Amino acid sequence: MPNQTIHQTAPPATETAAPAPVEPRDFRRVLGRVPTSVAVISTRAASGPVGMTVGSLTSVSLEPPLIAFFVKRGSQTLQAVEKAGVFCANLLGQDQGELCHLFASSRRTEVSDDAWDSCCTGAPRLRGALAWLECTIHAAFEAGDHVGVMGWVEHLTDAPGPQNPLIFYRGSLCRLHAASARRVETHPLQWWDL
């Protein structure tokens, strides 16, 4: 049988259009589908306790115990945190929506001195919060138009009782449904070990 050369023609190349740039409003809308906890990051400034609401608090490492939050560059509270070298992440409970709004606005100065106490690091803590993580700054880094602050957790505690956290979802403050507190037998998902 004579040698045969088989000619194959490649399919015509299809041109794909470059994706359109991501618009900030679309970015917010889509990422708004990720529920986030609400915390007030507090520290001590020359004028007294200061704080700001964040929805970006996240755990980073178990050993050493590290957490992080992100805040827009130029924040005055961020400057105070960097100067003090310590901060407290005050996790808000489901009935603390007013505090969330207060620390997300310029009305933060309306918080009275008796709303605060302090513990190990000297950073002010909000009384009545759901939990507190007191940290020293481990690192700060640029992250687009924000700054990331990583904190080494020096001390942590949570409030007694079954109170649920305050949740931010799709542009609104939300409560967990009462059924979410029901314990269900499950296998632990160790996704952080994957």
Side-chain angles (χ1 to χ4, degrees), residues 21-43:
V22 174
E23 294 293 329
R25 75 169 180 277
D26 296 331
F27 187 81
R28 283 193 195 95
R29 177 178 50 81
V30 172
L31 269 292
R33 292 185 177 271
V34 178
T36 61
S37 62
V38 181
V40 170
I41 301 298
S42 58
T43 195

Side-chain angles (χ1 to χ4, degrees), residues 74-97:
S75 159
Q76 292 178 348
T77 304
L78 172 62
Q79 292 170 15
V81 167
E82 291 177 323
K83 185 172 182 180
V86 296
F87 66 89
C88 181
N90 304 269
L91 305 183
L92 298 186
Q94 66 183 7
D95 296 324
Q96 294 182 302

Side-chain angles (χ1 to χ4, degrees), residues 118-138:
S118 62
C119 191
C120 304
T121 64
R125 302 186 320 171
L126 276 171
R127 290 190 172 131
L130 186 62
W132 304 267
L133 297 104
E134 296 183 68
C135 303
T136 52
I137 293 180
H138 181 67

Side-chain angles (χ1 to χ4, degrees), residues 121-190:
T121 64
R125 302 186 320 171
L126 276 171
R127 290 190 172 131
L130 186 62
W132 304 267
L133 297 104
E134 296 183 68
C135 303
T136 52
I137 293 180
H138 181 67
F141 52 94
E142 289 192 15
D145 59 1
H146 280 54
V147 172
V149 177
M150 198 177 305
W152 186 302
V153 181
E154 304 284 356
H155 183 257
L156 74 166
T157 188
D158 54 353
Q163 186 182 11
N164 283 331
L166 186 61
I167 303 293
F168 187 73
Y169 179 68
R170 298 186 74 182
S172 299
L173 295 175
C174 304
R175 293 171 176 254
L176 292 174
H177 190 276
S180 68
R182 185 180 55 176
R183 294 196 60 81
V184 177
E185 189 64 34
T186 61
H187 300 286
L189 177 61
Q190 302 290 331

